[in-house]
mmCIF file of all heavy atoms in Angstrom:
data_model
loop_
_atom_site.group_PDB
_atom_site.id
_atom_site.type_symbol
_atom_site.label_atom_id
_atom_site.label_comp_id
_atom_site.label_asym_id
_atom_site.label_seq_id
_atom_site.Cartn_x
_atom_site.Cartn_y
_atom_site.Cartn_z
ATOM 1 N N GLN A 115 -8.150 -10.853 -9.490
ATOM 2 C CA GLN A 115 -7.533 -11.080 -10.760
ATOM 3 C C GLN A 115 -7.033 -9.783 -11.373
ATOM 4 O O GLN A 115 -7.724 -8.898 -11.571
ATOM 5 C CB GLN A 115 -8.566 -11.754 -11.742
ATOM 6 C CG GLN A 115 -8.949 -13.175 -11.296
ATOM 7 C CD GLN A 115 -9.829 -13.829 -12.363
ATOM 8 O OE1 GLN A 115 -10.474 -13.233 -13.136
ATOM 9 N NE2 GLN A 115 -9.875 -15.229 -12.249
ATOM 10 N N ILE A 116 -5.730 -9.805 -11.604
ATOM 11 C CA ILE A 116 -5.028 -8.620 -12.167
ATOM 12 C C ILE A 116 -4.764 -8.867 -13.636
ATOM 13 O O ILE A 116 -4.123 -9.791 -14.081
ATOM 14 C CB ILE A 116 -3.672 -8.302 -11.511
ATOM 15 C CG1 ILE A 116 -3.928 -8.181 -9.956
ATOM 16 C CG2 ILE A 116 -3.075 -7.074 -12.046
ATOM 17 C CD1 ILE A 116 -2.658 -8.038 -9.157
ATOM 18 N N ASN A 117 -5.320 -7.973 -14.520
ATOM 19 C CA ASN A 117 -5.139 -8.081 -15.976
ATOM 20 C C ASN A 117 -3.828 -7.546 -16.380
ATOM 21 O O ASN A 117 -3.657 -6.587 -17.126
ATOM 22 C CB ASN A 117 -6.273 -7.309 -16.690
ATOM 23 C CG ASN A 117 -6.770 -8.098 -17.832
ATOM 24 O OD1 ASN A 117 -6.409 -9.258 -18.147
ATOM 25 N ND2 ASN A 117 -7.657 -7.488 -18.644
ATOM 26 N N HIS A 118 -2.748 -8.217 -15.841
ATOM 27 C CA HIS A 118 -1.379 -7.757 -16.054
ATOM 28 C C HIS A 118 -0.425 -8.894 -15.844
ATOM 29 O O HIS A 118 -0.814 -10.005 -15.347
ATOM 30 C CB HIS A 118 -1.063 -6.618 -15.107
ATOM 31 C CG HIS A 118 -0.077 -5.589 -15.619
ATOM 32 N ND1 HIS A 118 1.151 -5.917 -16.182
ATOM 33 C CD2 HIS A 118 -0.174 -4.227 -15.721
ATOM 34 C CE1 HIS A 118 1.735 -4.854 -16.531
ATOM 35 N NE2 HIS A 118 1.002 -3.807 -16.313
ATOM 36 N N CYS A 119 0.878 -8.700 -16.216
ATOM 37 C CA CYS A 119 1.872 -9.714 -15.988
ATOM 38 C C CYS A 119 2.671 -9.466 -14.714
ATOM 39 O O CYS A 119 3.499 -10.302 -14.345
ATOM 40 C CB CYS A 119 2.838 -9.720 -17.184
ATOM 41 S SG CYS A 119 2.152 -9.955 -18.755
ATOM 42 N N LEU A 120 2.472 -8.321 -14.219
ATOM 43 C CA LEU A 120 3.288 -7.886 -12.987
ATOM 44 C C LEU A 120 2.451 -7.053 -12.067
ATOM 45 O O LEU A 120 1.328 -6.597 -12.438
ATOM 46 C CB LEU A 120 4.559 -7.142 -13.410
ATOM 47 C CG LEU A 120 4.375 -5.874 -14.373
ATOM 48 C CD1 LEU A 120 4.130 -4.612 -13.640
ATOM 49 C CD2 LEU A 120 5.616 -5.778 -15.261
ATOM 50 N N CYS A 121 2.911 -6.868 -10.875
ATOM 51 C CA CYS A 121 2.179 -6.081 -9.868
ATOM 52 C C CYS A 121 2.418 -4.584 -9.977
ATOM 53 O O CYS A 121 3.273 -4.105 -9.256
ATOM 54 C CB CYS A 121 2.517 -6.595 -8.463
ATOM 55 S SG CYS A 121 1.960 -8.294 -8.102
ATOM 56 N N SER A 122 1.730 -3.962 -10.887
ATOM 57 C CA SER A 122 1.797 -2.518 -10.974
ATOM 58 C C SER A 122 0.907 -1.904 -9.906
ATOM 59 O O SER A 122 -0.046 -2.514 -9.514
ATOM 60 C CB SER A 122 1.375 -2.064 -12.374
ATOM 61 O OG SER A 122 -0.077 -2.252 -12.552
ATOM 62 N N ASN A 123 1.318 -0.734 -9.471
ATOM 63 C CA ASN A 123 0.614 -0.090 -8.354
ATOM 64 C C ASN A 123 -0.816 0.199 -8.629
ATOM 65 O O ASN A 123 -1.760 -0.235 -7.923
ATOM 66 C CB ASN A 123 1.357 1.218 -7.979
ATOM 67 C CG ASN A 123 0.634 2.006 -6.865
ATOM 68 O OD1 ASN A 123 0.098 1.416 -5.964
ATOM 69 N ND2 ASN A 123 0.751 3.314 -6.898
ATOM 70 N N LEU A 124 -1.126 0.789 -9.781
ATOM 71 C CA LEU A 124 -2.509 1.089 -10.204
ATOM 72 C C LEU A 124 -3.318 -0.164 -10.517
ATOM 73 O O LEU A 124 -4.456 -0.200 -10.253
ATOM 74 C CB LEU A 124 -2.490 2.114 -11.400
ATOM 75 C CG LEU A 124 -1.800 3.439 -11.134
ATOM 76 C CD1 LEU A 124 -1.818 4.309 -12.372
ATOM 77 C CD2 LEU A 124 -2.432 4.200 -9.970
ATOM 78 N N GLY A 125 -2.627 -1.161 -11.114
ATOM 79 C CA GLY A 125 -3.344 -2.391 -11.441
ATOM 80 C C GLY A 125 -3.794 -3.084 -10.151
ATOM 81 O O GLY A 125 -4.926 -3.680 -10.162
ATOM 82 N N VAL A 126 -2.958 -3.124 -9.131
ATOM 83 C CA VAL A 126 -3.307 -3.851 -7.908
ATOM 84 C C VAL A 126 -4.368 -3.026 -7.103
ATOM 85 O O VAL A 126 -5.420 -3.577 -6.751
ATOM 86 C CB VAL A 126 -2.019 -4.017 -7.077
ATOM 87 C CG1 VAL A 126 -2.401 -4.592 -5.661
ATOM 88 C CG2 VAL A 126 -1.094 -5.053 -7.734
ATOM 89 N N THR A 127 -4.158 -1.716 -6.971
ATOM 90 C CA THR A 127 -5.051 -0.950 -6.096
ATOM 91 C C THR A 127 -6.406 -0.765 -6.731
ATOM 92 O O THR A 127 -7.343 -0.506 -6.078
ATOM 93 C CB THR A 127 -4.445 0.424 -5.751
ATOM 94 O OG1 THR A 127 -4.077 1.077 -7.022
ATOM 95 C CG2 THR A 127 -3.216 0.281 -4.905
ATOM 96 N N SER A 128 -6.529 -0.953 -8.070
ATOM 97 C CA SER A 128 -7.823 -0.956 -8.691
ATOM 98 C C SER A 128 -8.768 -2.028 -8.260
ATOM 99 O O SER A 128 -9.960 -1.904 -8.443
ATOM 100 C CB SER A 128 -7.658 -0.969 -10.237
ATOM 101 O OG SER A 128 -7.179 -2.206 -10.642
ATOM 102 N N LEU A 129 -8.205 -3.052 -7.625
ATOM 103 C CA LEU A 129 -8.993 -4.161 -7.167
ATOM 104 C C LEU A 129 -9.476 -3.938 -5.714
ATOM 105 O O LEU A 129 -10.315 -4.680 -5.193
ATOM 106 C CB LEU A 129 -8.165 -5.489 -7.073
ATOM 107 C CG LEU A 129 -7.601 -5.951 -8.406
ATOM 108 C CD1 LEU A 129 -6.737 -7.178 -8.168
ATOM 109 C CD2 LEU A 129 -8.642 -6.246 -9.471
ATOM 110 N N SER A 130 -9.078 -2.856 -5.066
ATOM 111 C CA SER A 130 -9.459 -2.629 -3.648
ATOM 112 C C SER A 130 -10.903 -2.199 -3.588
ATOM 113 O O SER A 130 -11.492 -1.639 -4.484
ATOM 114 C CB SER A 130 -8.580 -1.529 -3.084
ATOM 115 O OG SER A 130 -8.828 -0.278 -3.695
ATOM 116 N N CYS A 131 -11.536 -2.534 -2.399
ATOM 117 C CA CYS A 131 -12.893 -2.192 -2.206
ATOM 118 C C CYS A 131 -13.108 -0.832 -1.574
ATOM 119 O O CYS A 131 -14.248 -0.311 -1.550
ATOM 120 C CB CYS A 131 -13.564 -3.275 -1.254
ATOM 121 S SG CYS A 131 -13.404 -4.879 -1.888
ATOM 122 N N ASP A 132 -12.061 -0.201 -1.138
ATOM 123 C CA ASP A 132 -12.176 1.130 -0.473
ATOM 124 C C ASP A 132 -11.535 2.133 -1.404
ATOM 125 O O ASP A 132 -11.006 1.908 -2.515
ATOM 126 C CB ASP A 132 -11.559 1.134 0.930
ATOM 127 C CG ASP A 132 -10.151 0.525 0.918
ATOM 128 O OD1 ASP A 132 -9.689 0.069 -0.158
ATOM 129 O OD2 ASP A 132 -9.505 0.402 2.018
ATOM 130 N N ASP A 133 -11.516 3.400 -0.921
ATOM 131 C CA ASP A 133 -11.045 4.542 -1.743
ATOM 132 C C ASP A 133 -9.504 4.421 -1.926
ATOM 133 O O ASP A 133 -8.781 4.287 -0.994
ATOM 134 C CB ASP A 133 -11.396 5.832 -1.034
ATOM 135 C CG ASP A 133 -11.049 7.060 -1.838
ATOM 136 O OD1 ASP A 133 -10.924 6.902 -3.106
ATOM 137 O OD2 ASP A 133 -10.941 8.173 -1.262
ATOM 138 N N ARG A 134 -9.104 4.523 -3.198
ATOM 139 C CA ARG A 134 -7.629 4.496 -3.522
ATOM 140 C C ARG A 134 -7.106 5.843 -4.041
ATOM 141 O O ARG A 134 -6.089 5.837 -4.690
ATOM 142 C CB ARG A 134 -7.394 3.366 -4.571
ATOM 143 C CG ARG A 134 -8.116 3.535 -5.820
ATOM 144 C CD ARG A 134 -7.915 2.339 -6.755
ATOM 145 N NE ARG A 134 -8.559 2.477 -8.059
ATOM 146 C CZ ARG A 134 -7.993 2.917 -9.149
ATOM 147 N NH1 ARG A 134 -6.705 3.235 -9.098
ATOM 148 N NH2 ARG A 134 -8.645 3.074 -10.254
ATOM 149 N N LYS A 135 -7.778 6.898 -3.712
ATOM 150 C CA LYS A 135 -7.367 8.142 -4.158
ATOM 151 C C LYS A 135 -5.967 8.561 -3.687
ATOM 152 O O LYS A 135 -5.141 9.070 -4.446
ATOM 153 C CB LYS A 135 -8.347 9.251 -3.748
ATOM 154 C CG LYS A 135 -8.070 10.667 -4.334
ATOM 155 C CD LYS A 135 -9.050 11.661 -3.861
ATOM 156 C CE LYS A 135 -10.414 11.420 -4.370
ATOM 157 N NZ LYS A 135 -11.380 12.520 -3.952
ATOM 158 N N ILE A 136 -5.660 8.178 -2.393
ATOM 159 C CA ILE A 136 -4.398 8.487 -1.858
ATOM 160 C C ILE A 136 -3.237 7.808 -2.617
ATOM 161 O O ILE A 136 -2.122 8.314 -2.798
ATOM 162 C CB ILE A 136 -4.307 8.136 -0.360
ATOM 163 C CG1 ILE A 136 -3.020 8.598 0.270
ATOM 164 C CG2 ILE A 136 -4.493 6.571 -0.170
ATOM 165 C CD1 ILE A 136 -2.764 10.070 0.399
ATOM 166 N N ASN A 137 -3.500 6.623 -3.090
ATOM 167 C CA ASN A 137 -2.558 5.855 -3.876
ATOM 168 C C ASN A 137 -2.209 6.523 -5.226
ATOM 169 O O ASN A 137 -1.036 6.630 -5.620
ATOM 170 C CB ASN A 137 -3.064 4.417 -4.162
ATOM 171 C CG ASN A 137 -3.288 3.648 -2.886
ATOM 172 O OD1 ASN A 137 -4.262 3.821 -2.248
ATOM 173 N ND2 ASN A 137 -2.378 2.750 -2.523
ATOM 174 N N SER A 138 -3.243 7.022 -5.859
ATOM 175 C CA SER A 138 -3.115 7.705 -7.118
ATOM 176 C C SER A 138 -2.316 9.007 -6.956
ATOM 177 O O SER A 138 -1.419 9.348 -7.695
ATOM 178 C CB SER A 138 -4.439 8.010 -7.768
ATOM 179 O OG SER A 138 -5.200 6.793 -8.033
ATOM 180 N N ILE A 139 -2.638 9.761 -5.844
ATOM 181 C CA ILE A 139 -1.933 11.019 -5.568
ATOM 182 C C ILE A 139 -0.472 10.763 -5.221
ATOM 183 O O ILE A 139 0.376 11.484 -5.775
ATOM 184 C CB ILE A 139 -2.617 11.769 -4.369
ATOM 185 C CG1 ILE A 139 -4.038 12.230 -4.762
ATOM 186 C CG2 ILE A 139 -1.793 12.927 -3.933
ATOM 187 C CD1 ILE A 139 -4.850 12.778 -3.621
ATOM 188 N N ASN A 140 -0.222 9.682 -4.427
ATOM 189 C CA ASN A 140 1.142 9.376 -4.154
ATOM 190 C C ASN A 140 1.953 9.024 -5.351
ATOM 191 O O ASN A 140 3.097 9.370 -5.512
ATOM 192 C CB ASN A 140 1.154 8.189 -3.143
ATOM 193 C CG ASN A 140 2.549 7.873 -2.695
ATOM 194 O OD1 ASN A 140 3.322 8.648 -2.126
ATOM 195 N ND2 ASN A 140 3.005 6.614 -2.992
ATOM 196 N N GLN A 141 1.364 8.226 -6.288
ATOM 197 C CA GLN A 141 2.001 7.781 -7.547
ATOM 198 C C GLN A 141 2.357 8.995 -8.409
ATOM 199 O O GLN A 141 3.472 9.057 -8.867
ATOM 200 C CB GLN A 141 1.065 6.856 -8.315
ATOM 201 C CG GLN A 141 1.694 6.289 -9.616
ATOM 202 C CD GLN A 141 2.629 5.163 -9.315
ATOM 203 O OE1 GLN A 141 2.503 4.449 -8.322
ATOM 204 N NE2 GLN A 141 3.583 4.951 -10.181
ATOM 205 N N LEU A 142 1.417 9.977 -8.433
ATOM 206 C CA LEU A 142 1.640 11.197 -9.188
ATOM 207 C C LEU A 142 2.778 12.045 -8.592
ATOM 208 O O LEU A 142 3.624 12.569 -9.291
ATOM 209 C CB LEU A 142 0.385 12.001 -9.303
ATOM 210 C CG LEU A 142 0.317 13.193 -10.158
ATOM 211 C CD1 LEU A 142 0.572 12.810 -11.633
ATOM 212 C CD2 LEU A 142 -0.982 13.982 -10.080
ATOM 213 N N PHE A 143 2.718 12.140 -7.258
ATOM 214 C CA PHE A 143 3.759 12.881 -6.542
ATOM 215 C C PHE A 143 5.197 12.314 -6.788
ATOM 216 O O PHE A 143 6.101 13.022 -7.051
ATOM 217 C CB PHE A 143 3.463 12.937 -5.080
ATOM 218 C CG PHE A 143 4.589 13.437 -4.201
ATOM 219 C CD1 PHE A 143 4.901 14.831 -4.120
ATOM 220 C CD2 PHE A 143 5.357 12.566 -3.443
ATOM 221 C CE1 PHE A 143 5.958 15.288 -3.374
ATOM 222 C CE2 PHE A 143 6.425 13.024 -2.726
ATOM 223 C CZ PHE A 143 6.767 14.385 -2.658
ATOM 224 N N LEU A 144 5.292 10.988 -6.684
ATOM 225 C CA LEU A 144 6.543 10.343 -6.830
ATOM 226 C C LEU A 144 7.023 10.492 -8.267
ATOM 227 O O LEU A 144 8.249 10.726 -8.517
ATOM 228 C CB LEU A 144 6.455 8.836 -6.532
ATOM 229 C CG LEU A 144 6.433 8.453 -5.132
ATOM 230 C CD1 LEU A 144 6.197 6.928 -4.952
ATOM 231 C CD2 LEU A 144 7.682 8.861 -4.352
ATOM 232 N N ALA A 145 6.180 10.432 -9.237
ATOM 233 C CA ALA A 145 6.488 10.581 -10.701
ATOM 234 C C ALA A 145 7.115 11.937 -10.899
ATOM 235 O O ALA A 145 8.139 12.123 -11.571
ATOM 236 C CB ALA A 145 5.296 10.403 -11.569
ATOM 237 N N TRP A 146 6.514 12.993 -10.307
ATOM 238 C CA TRP A 146 7.015 14.384 -10.466
ATOM 239 C C TRP A 146 8.213 14.601 -9.667
ATOM 240 O O TRP A 146 9.179 15.220 -10.092
ATOM 241 C CB TRP A 146 5.921 15.367 -10.192
ATOM 242 C CG TRP A 146 4.948 15.579 -11.266
ATOM 243 C CD1 TRP A 146 3.649 15.117 -11.338
ATOM 244 C CD2 TRP A 146 5.159 16.254 -12.445
ATOM 245 N NE1 TRP A 146 3.043 15.420 -12.485
ATOM 246 C CE2 TRP A 146 3.937 16.145 -13.237
ATOM 247 C CE3 TRP A 146 6.201 16.951 -13.012
ATOM 248 C CZ2 TRP A 146 3.790 16.680 -14.534
ATOM 249 C CZ3 TRP A 146 6.035 17.487 -14.349
ATOM 250 C CH2 TRP A 146 4.839 17.383 -15.006
ATOM 251 N N ALA A 147 8.277 14.163 -8.457
ATOM 252 C CA ALA A 147 9.395 14.417 -7.473
ATOM 253 C C ALA A 147 10.666 13.690 -7.932
ATOM 254 O O ALA A 147 11.756 14.214 -7.865
ATOM 255 C CB ALA A 147 8.999 13.961 -6.084
ATOM 256 N N VAL A 148 10.492 12.449 -8.451
ATOM 257 C CA VAL A 148 11.740 11.673 -8.817
ATOM 258 C C VAL A 148 11.982 11.862 -10.266
ATOM 259 O O VAL A 148 13.028 12.366 -10.742
ATOM 260 C CB VAL A 148 11.532 10.154 -8.494
ATOM 261 C CG1 VAL A 148 12.706 9.345 -8.911
ATOM 262 C CG2 VAL A 148 11.347 9.973 -6.957
ATOM 263 N N MET A 149 11.101 11.266 -11.170
ATOM 264 C CA MET A 149 11.320 11.352 -12.580
ATOM 265 C C MET A 149 11.338 12.756 -13.156
ATOM 266 O O MET A 149 12.183 13.102 -13.979
ATOM 267 C CB MET A 149 10.240 10.527 -13.319
ATOM 268 C CG MET A 149 10.226 9.057 -12.992
ATOM 269 S SD MET A 149 11.759 8.268 -13.520
ATOM 270 C CE MET A 149 11.413 6.616 -12.882
ATOM 271 N N GLY A 150 10.418 13.631 -12.672
ATOM 272 C CA GLY A 150 10.340 15.001 -13.154
ATOM 273 C C GLY A 150 11.576 15.726 -12.798
ATOM 274 O O GLY A 150 12.192 16.449 -13.641
ATOM 275 N N SER A 151 12.152 15.625 -11.567
ATOM 276 C CA SER A 151 13.374 16.314 -11.225
ATOM 277 C C SER A 151 14.574 15.775 -11.940
ATOM 278 O O SER A 151 15.419 16.584 -12.407
ATOM 279 C CB SER A 151 13.599 16.273 -9.734
ATOM 280 O OG SER A 151 13.775 14.918 -9.317
ATOM 281 N N ASP A 152 14.626 14.459 -12.113
ATOM 282 C CA ASP A 152 15.755 13.870 -12.885
ATOM 283 C C ASP A 152 15.821 14.359 -14.247
ATOM 284 O O ASP A 152 16.816 14.759 -14.845
ATOM 285 C CB ASP A 152 15.614 12.355 -12.794
ATOM 286 C CG ASP A 152 16.035 11.742 -11.466
ATOM 287 O OD1 ASP A 152 16.473 12.534 -10.583
ATOM 288 O OD2 ASP A 152 15.844 10.498 -11.234
ATOM 289 N N LEU A 153 14.610 14.294 -14.927
ATOM 290 C CA LEU A 153 14.553 14.672 -16.385
ATOM 291 C C LEU A 153 14.869 16.177 -16.498
ATOM 292 O O LEU A 153 15.549 16.593 -17.443
ATOM 293 C CB LEU A 153 13.106 14.464 -16.906
ATOM 294 C CG LEU A 153 12.925 14.671 -18.378
ATOM 295 C CD1 LEU A 153 13.925 13.804 -19.213
ATOM 296 C CD2 LEU A 153 11.512 14.334 -18.798
ATOM 297 N N SER A 154 14.474 17.017 -15.538
ATOM 298 C CA SER A 154 14.804 18.439 -15.589
ATOM 299 C C SER A 154 16.270 18.654 -15.535
ATOM 300 O O SER A 154 16.825 19.469 -16.263
ATOM 301 C CB SER A 154 14.062 19.144 -14.454
ATOM 302 O OG SER A 154 12.686 19.038 -14.531
ATOM 303 N N LEU A 155 16.987 17.951 -14.602
ATOM 304 C CA LEU A 155 18.402 18.050 -14.517
ATOM 305 C C LEU A 155 19.117 17.612 -15.767
ATOM 306 O O LEU A 155 20.114 18.200 -16.215
ATOM 307 C CB LEU A 155 18.879 17.241 -13.277
ATOM 308 C CG LEU A 155 18.607 17.856 -11.938
ATOM 309 C CD1 LEU A 155 18.996 16.805 -10.772
ATOM 310 C CD2 LEU A 155 19.458 19.114 -11.701
ATOM 311 N N ILE A 156 18.640 16.536 -16.376
ATOM 312 C CA ILE A 156 19.201 16.001 -17.596
ATOM 313 C C ILE A 156 19.053 16.966 -18.749
ATOM 314 O O ILE A 156 20.042 17.304 -19.491
ATOM 315 C CB ILE A 156 18.606 14.657 -18.014
ATOM 316 C CG1 ILE A 156 19.036 13.557 -16.994
ATOM 317 C CG2 ILE A 156 19.041 14.239 -19.397
ATOM 318 C CD1 ILE A 156 18.282 12.234 -17.097
ATOM 319 N N ILE A 157 17.859 17.554 -18.869
ATOM 320 C CA ILE A 157 17.589 18.591 -19.929
ATOM 321 C C ILE A 157 18.474 19.807 -19.697
ATOM 322 O O ILE A 157 19.110 20.302 -20.712
ATOM 323 C CB ILE A 157 16.143 19.007 -19.965
ATOM 324 C CG1 ILE A 157 15.300 17.760 -20.457
ATOM 325 C CG2 ILE A 157 15.920 20.162 -20.877
ATOM 326 C CD1 ILE A 157 13.801 17.966 -20.322
ATOM 327 N N LEU A 158 18.617 20.218 -18.472
ATOM 328 C CA LEU A 158 19.445 21.358 -18.138
ATOM 329 C C LEU A 158 20.918 21.112 -18.494
ATOM 330 O O LEU A 158 21.576 21.999 -19.042
ATOM 331 C CB LEU A 158 19.327 21.703 -16.647
ATOM 332 C CG LEU A 158 19.851 23.080 -16.179
ATOM 333 C CD1 LEU A 158 19.078 24.244 -16.857
ATOM 334 C CD2 LEU A 158 19.684 23.211 -14.628
ATOM 335 N N SER A 159 21.400 19.954 -18.137
ATOM 336 C CA SER A 159 22.836 19.567 -18.438
ATOM 337 C C SER A 159 23.093 19.573 -19.891
ATOM 338 O O SER A 159 24.096 20.143 -20.323
ATOM 339 C CB SER A 159 23.129 18.152 -17.889
ATOM 340 O OG SER A 159 22.987 18.090 -16.445
#
């Protein structure tokens, strides 16, 4: 049971029975690599 309206990464993986640390690290990496770089370019422009 997901306490959400959609399948968010952290919401889904929080239900897993094993270690989900790699999922959290990957989510953080993507946030910085994609959103972080995009926002930096926009601010610079």
